[in-house]
Amino acid sequence: MTELQRIVSALQASGMTVEPVEDGALVRNGESRVALFADADHQGGVIVRLHLDLDLYVEEDALPDILMGMNLLNQGLDYGALNLDPVDEEDTEEDAPLTFAVLGRAVLWLRDLGPAELDRLREHLRRFEAEVTEAVERTLHGSKGMSA
C-alpha cells in the first residue's frame, strides 16, 4: 500500500469524505475540495502537498494589485499560502493576456503514518481549508476588503 493509499484509508476511516483521483485524492468539506498529494521523502517520512482551488481568476493586467493583496493576505496565514498558477487555455490567441488561478497551497512533512501524525494531518487539513477560505471570503466580502 502506498503512502497516499494509507492516508486516504486513514482519512476515510475517521469519517472524512475522500476520493482517490489520478495521482492524488480529493478531500471534500462542504463545498470546498482540497487536492492532496503524498510522496515518500527520501530522507524518511512523507511529504503531503495540499492544493485548494478557490475558483478565482486574475487577468495579467491586474497582477500588480493582486500580488500586493496576496502578499498582505499571506502574512496572516499560518497553514498555507495563496499562489498564482497560469491557466493554460488551448483556444486563446497567442497575444491574449494570460489568466492566473488563485490557489491555496500547503506542504506538510509527516514523520511517519502513525496515529499521531495522521491526527496532525487531519488538523492541518481542517485548519488550512478554513483559514484560506476565511481569509479570501473576508477580503472579497468584508467592508474593509481590498479592491484590485
Side-chain angles (χ1 to χ4, degrees), residues 27-138:
V27 181
R28 296 179 190 272
N29 182 17
E31 293 294 313
S32 63
R33 299 180 328 180
V34 176
L36 182 147
F37 305 92
D39 296 300
D41 185 0
H42 68 279
Q43 296 178 344
V46 179
I47 297 174
V48 178
R49 293 174 286 122
L50 306 173
H51 300 229
L52 176 59
D53 187 347
L54 298 166
D55 290 324
L56 293 173
Y57 299 91
V58 177
E59 293 293 327
E60 186 176 15
D61 56 349
L63 280 181
D65 293 327
I66 294 300
L67 289 172
M68 186 182 332
M70 284 179 55
N71 185 38
L72 291 172
L73 282 173
N74 280 333
Q75 290 178 21
L77 297 178
D78 293 327
Y79 286 86
L82 296 172
N83 292 340
L84 293 174
D85 274 353
V87 176
D88 186 24
E89 298 178 22
E90 294 180 15
D91 58 342
T92 58
E93 298 175 22
E94 255 186 60
D95 59 344
L98 290 175
T99 301
F100 295 86
V102 180
L103 302 174
R105 293 233 169 117
V107 176
L108 179 65
W109 179 79
L110 302 175
R111 189 175 14 262
D112 54 43
L113 293 179
E117 288 295 272
L118 289 170
D119 283 345
R120 192 166 72 90
L121 172 60
R122 279 189 287 281
E123 179 65 9
H124 193 92
L125 261 166
R126 185 189 67 75
R127 293 179 91 171
F128 164 68
E129 185 275 329
E131 185 180 73
V132 169
T133 301
E134 180 183 311
V136 170
E137 286 179 356
R138 185 177 58 241

